[in-house]
């Protein structure tokens, strides 16, 4: 039987302090704290994220949220203005040194921001909280910005849009990485990013990766300047992925197109096919205001702030003890 | 044929990779927030002892290695093979030099060992953690040297050479830790 005792006592006061600082940061900028349902009737179809299905005693079913994105966008479409939420989210059976299936996200949306401006704010937030407690290290993490395509071009001479899965496999092979299992191009790009490129990021530095391929756009709007790319960014601290943000897609036609593509991918991969969230789709058609949004992993931020190497060091009852 | 999915991976699990039985030493889940998940594992080849790193796309299945640890009694050697018996069933196995490996130097007739079988064939032999063996050769100890904690080499009846304290004499039986090859005590 698993240990009944909490696993993260030393981190506990730091988490409380961090949550307070995050709320302070948002309040100072006039961003409103909101709460939305953890349990909902539909789930995202993005093949990269798997929802937990919840079964009601009477036979009804729902899904635990993988992020509060859909209901928060419904608030935005209804005129809420700038909003944030500290939410508990659930994703598949993701478990490891940097994953727990239940974790905390800070998600926020800013009207009339684009991805660049919001990325700046994410960096400000990380730098502000890092300075917010004398017990937390690092004078002030420096930030480096890089375009997704340039990462691949500089490291491997590989153009992420003009390459095949086979090209990626050849590059991986050169770096000593071989993978069992068939991967499509985006699967290979993920492998190179997570297993080769990110581990090479400066350990103390923040790295902002901008402009992901449109095939990995999720709900980021396509880049007008850079066809084939989308206005999506990720923030890494060292090699640890901390946040993912978009200049939000507002065009309902592209939303429908991408949803079809996701359904097709799920079918091809033999993945679960959850019920789509019709209310979110309706809000997209009603019209999302021009905004940028981002979700930041709070447990991981805490890991970096206090120098914890395993996520179990910052969660009192990680999955397995929960 | 039994198989394991990557979400069943844990250390100690025995799988078939590149035609060899391998034990998972370490399994790490790696996944970008919005992308493909991977399992990065370190495996130890049970035949060669080599450790290597391998990455799986999460959700892949890999064949289970039919590997079983069985307690057996060492009977004798005919010079080419070492013969072991399962006490309950009297079933006998002949183990070759390669599979026996370093275990050879610790074997004493009638001692119990762990024989790892792969598809019913002996793969490796693990001697007991502690064995008691007689010293067949060592130089006489020098009186007065014990205070310095000096040691001298001693050849045991099984062929192993271990360092023993100076006061230990030829013909005595000593207890040895087979994992470190170190002398533990006189018996």
């Amino acid at each position: 039987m698993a240990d009944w005792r909490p696993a993260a006592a030393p981190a506990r006061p730091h988490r409380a302090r961090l949550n307070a600082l995050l709320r302070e940061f948002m309040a100072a900028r006039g961003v409103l704290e909101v709460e939305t349902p953890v349990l909902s009737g539909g789930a995202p179809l993005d093949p990269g994220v798997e929802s937990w299905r919840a079964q009601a005693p009477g036979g009804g079913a729902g899904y635990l949220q993988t992020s509060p994105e859909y209901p928060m966008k419904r608030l935005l479409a209804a005129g809420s203005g700038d909003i944030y939420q500290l939410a508990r989210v659930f994703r598949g059976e993701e478990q490891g040194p940097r994953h727990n299936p239940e974790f905390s996200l800070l998600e926020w949306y800013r009207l009339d921001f684009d991805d660049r401006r919001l990325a700046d704010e994410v960096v400000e937030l990380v730098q502000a909280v890092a300075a917010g407690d004398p017990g937390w290290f690092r004078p002030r993490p420096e930030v480096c910005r890089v375009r997704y395509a340039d990462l691949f071009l500089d490291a491997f001479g590989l153009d992420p849009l003009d390459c095949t899965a086979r090209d990626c496999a050849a590059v991986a092979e050169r770096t000593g990485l071989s993978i069992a299992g068939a991967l499509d191009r985006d699967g290979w790009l993920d492998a190179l990013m997570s297993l080769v490129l990110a581990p090479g990021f400066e350990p103390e530095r923040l790295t902002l990766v901008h402009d992901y391929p449109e095939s990995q756009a999720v709900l980021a709007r396509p880049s007008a300047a850079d066809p084939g790319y989308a206005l999506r960014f990720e923030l890494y601290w060292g090699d640890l992925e901390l946040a993912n943000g978009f200049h939000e897609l507002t065009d309902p036609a592209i939303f429908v197109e991408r949803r079809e593509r996701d359904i097709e991918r799920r079918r091809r991969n033999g993945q679960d096919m959850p019920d789509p969230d019709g209310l979110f789709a309706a809000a997209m058609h009603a019209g999302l205001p021009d905004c940028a949004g981002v979700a930041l992993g709070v447990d991981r931020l805490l890991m970096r702030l206090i120098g914890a190497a395993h996520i179990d060091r910052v969660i009192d009852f990680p999955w397995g003890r929960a | 044929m039994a198989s394991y999915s990557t979400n069943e991976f844990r250390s100690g699990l025995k799988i078939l990779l590149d035609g060899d039985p391998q034990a998972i030493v370490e399994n790490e889940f790696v996944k970008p927030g919005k992308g493909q998940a991977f399992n990065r594992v370190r495996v130890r080849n049970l035949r060669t002892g080599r450790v290597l790193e391998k990455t799986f796309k999460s959700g892949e299945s890999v064949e289970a290695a039919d590997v079983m640890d069985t307690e057996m009694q060492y009977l004798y050697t005919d010079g080419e093979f070492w013969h072991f018996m399962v006490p309950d069933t009297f079933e006998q196995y002949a183990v070759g030099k390669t599979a026996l490996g370093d275990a050879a130097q610790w074997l004493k007739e009638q001692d119990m060992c762990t024989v790892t079988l792969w598809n019913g064939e002996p793969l490796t032999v693990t001697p007991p953690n502690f064995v008691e063996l007689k010293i067949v050769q060592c130089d006489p100890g020098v009186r007065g040297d014990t205070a310095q904690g000096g040691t001298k080499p001693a050849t045991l009846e099984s062929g192993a050479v271990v360092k023993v304290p100076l006061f230990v004499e030829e013909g005595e039986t000593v207890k040895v830790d087979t994992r470190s090859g170190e002398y533990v005590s006189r018996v």
Side-chain angles (χ1 to χ4, degrees), chain A residues 48 94-95 179-180 182 190 241, chain B residues 29 31-33 35-36 55 57 60:
Chain A
E94 300 183 5
Q95 196 171 17
I179 297 180
D190 280 342
E241 183 190 352
Chain B
F29 180 77
K31 181 185 181 302
Q36 178 63 52
T55 304
K57 176 185 173 183
E60 284 293 299

Side-chain angles (χ1 to χ4, degrees), chain A residues 8-285:
Chain A
R12 205 175 303 139
H14 294 286
R15 179 181 286 274
R17 174 92 185 114
L18 174 58
N19 285 350
L21 286 169
L22 295 172
R23 288 195 159 97
E24 250 171 57
F25 183 93
M26 291 298 160
R29 281 165 172 72
V31 183
L32 184 71
E33 178 164 13
V34 296
E35 291 190 7
T36 56
V38 166
L39 181 64
S40 70
L45 296 164
D46 171 4
V49 180
E50 295 289 12
S51 301
W52 284 72
R53 198 183 283 268
Q55 198 69 51
Y63 301 92
L64 295 177
Q65 65 179 353
T66 58
S67 89
E69 180 175 12
Y70 291 2
M72 288 182 81
K73 284 184 173 172
R74 284 165 63 191
L75 293 178
L76 290 158
S80 66
D82 295 337
I83 49 174
Y84 83 94
Q85 180 164 194
L86 260 170
R88 259 341 155 64
V89 302
F90 306 82
R91 291 186 188 176
E93 286 181 276
E94 300 183 5
Q95 196 171 17
R98 297 166 167 204
H99 292 84
N100 193 62
E102 176 177 356
F103 62 102
S104 297
L105 271 185
L106 174 70
E107 181 148 336
W108 75 101
Y109 292 87
R110 301 285 256 147
L111 294 189
D112 303 317
F113 273 40
D114 64 7
D115 51 306
R116 288 327 203 244
R117 194 168 164 204
L118 186 61
D120 286 341
E121 189 169 67
V122 178
V123 169
E124 279 166 40
L125 176 131
V126 172
Q127 289 174 334
V129 297
D133 189 295
W136 297 343
F137 50 28
R138 300 170 214 281
R140 185 182 145 93
E142 291 306 311
V143 59
C144 138
R145 286 174 187 271
V146 60
R147 293 177 66 255
Y148 184 93
D150 292 338
L151 269 178
F152 285 81
L153 283 167
D154 292 350
F156 315 124
L158 190 74
D159 179 342
L161 290 195
D162 186 24
C163 68
T164 62
R166 188 186 289 258
D167 296 336
C168 297
V171 163
E173 183 111 17
R174 285 212 303 274
T175 70
L177 175 68
S178 77
I179 297 180
L183 295 169
D184 60 10
R185 184 178 72 184
D186 285 306
W188 274 110
L189 293 175
D190 280 342
L192 290 170
M193 186 69 178
S194 306
L195 300 169
V196 184
L197 292 170
F201 291 168
E202 286 286 333
E204 309 281 297
R205 206 162 59 184
L206 300 173
T207 302
L208 266 176
V209 184
H210 280 284
D211 303 336
Y212 277 64
E214 219 259 325
S215 53
Q216 301 176 29
V218 201
L219 290 176
R221 70 175 63 183
S223 165
D226 230 347
Y229 289 93
L231 301 178
R232 171 183 167 194
F233 68 90
E234 292 244 356
L235 178 71
Y236 284 80
W237 192 343
D239 64 349
L240 187 63
E241 183 190 352
L242 274 192
N244 174 63
F246 306 144
H247 191 178
E248 298 293 346
L249 175 73
T250 51
D251 184 336
I254 299 176
F255 164 68
V256 169
E257 236 172 69
R258 295 221 186 124
R259 195 177 51 185
E260 292 308 313
R261 188 175 69 187
D262 285 346
I263 290 172
E264 180 46 39
R265 283 182 185 171
R266 279 188 171 268
R267 191 166 291 139
R268 210 172 45 225
N269 301 342
Q271 288 174 272
D272 256 10
M273 198 70 77
D275 298 326
D277 188 331
L279 298 172
F280 168 60
M284 284 298 288
H285 283 96

Side-chain angles (χ1 to χ4, degrees), chain B residues 72 75-76 83-86 89-94:
Chain B
M72 294 191 203
L75 299 177
Y76 65 96
H83 297 272
F84 291 81
M85 181 182 73
V86 183
T89 61
F90 305 109
E91 203 176 346
Q92 291 195 17
Y93 289 86

Side-chain angles (χ1 to χ4, degrees), chain B residues 29-54:
Chain B
F29 180 77
V30 179
K31 181 185 181 302
K34 299 272 183 195
Q36 178 63 52
F38 302 96
N39 286 70
R40 200 158 217 209
V41 298
R42 276 156 53 78
V43 289
R44 188 168 47 83
N45 188 313
L46 293 173
R47 211 170 48 76
T48 64
R50 266 187 50 199
V51 173
L52 66 107
E53 200 163 90
K54 189 109 189 168

